[in-house]
Amino acid sequence: MHELGVMCKVIEKISEVCDEQNIPKVASITLEIGELSGIVPEYMERCFPAVTYNKLRFIDTELKIEVVEGDAECDKCGTVFNVIKHKGYCPKCNSFDKHVLSGLDFVIKEIAVPNEE
């Protein structure tokens, strides 16, 4: 489960940004995880409490995950399809030759801070 190491790096990077920007508290973190990235969103959710444990900046921080579909375009017929749903094969011509359009990335999309009242 490499997600533990990935989550450690995410929290490390967010901590660096917060230190640079003088941000004492993080309300939420939004991650975009591509279906084809090799990262399992559920495992990231499971790792989050352990990685943020006893870190004051992350007490009560909400983790939000947005899954980006793994879409591809068939090289033979041009059909756009979901790679996972169709097991890599074009649903129109059954070719395995494709160009991936989305779903490979892993991005820290947003770091939200609490509203000051």
Side-chain angles (χ1 to χ4, degrees), residues 47-107:
C47 293
F48 185 69
V51 173
T52 58
Y53 179 76
N54 219 16
K55 291 181 173 57
L56 297 178
R57 177 178 282 146
F58 298 101
I59 292 175
D60 296 325
T61 299
E62 179 185 8
L63 176 64
K64 301 174 184 178
I65 294 178
E66 298 174 1
V67 177
V68 178
E69 289 189 5
D71 290 334
E73 181 178 11
C74 178
D75 290 341
K76 293 199 176 186
C77 71
T79 299
V80 175
F81 63 98
N82 182 278
V83 176
I84 302 292
K85 182 179 177 184
H86 297 285
K87 299 179 182 176
Y89 291 91
C90 174
K92 186 173 182 183
C93 72
N94 208 36
S95 172
F96 195 73
D97 299 328
K98 62 194 160 294
H99 174 74
V100 175
L101 302 172
S102 63
L104 290 172
D105 295 332
F106 173 83
V107 177

Side-chain angles (χ1 to χ4, degrees), residues 13-26 57-58 111-114 116:
K13 186 62 181 171
I14 291 172
S15 293
E16 288 173 13
V17 170
C18 288
D19 289 344
E20 291 169 6
Q21 299 294 320
N22 234 5
I23 299 169
K25 179 86 178 103
V26 176
R57 177 178 282 146
F58 298 101
I111 304 165
V113 297
E116 292 186 34

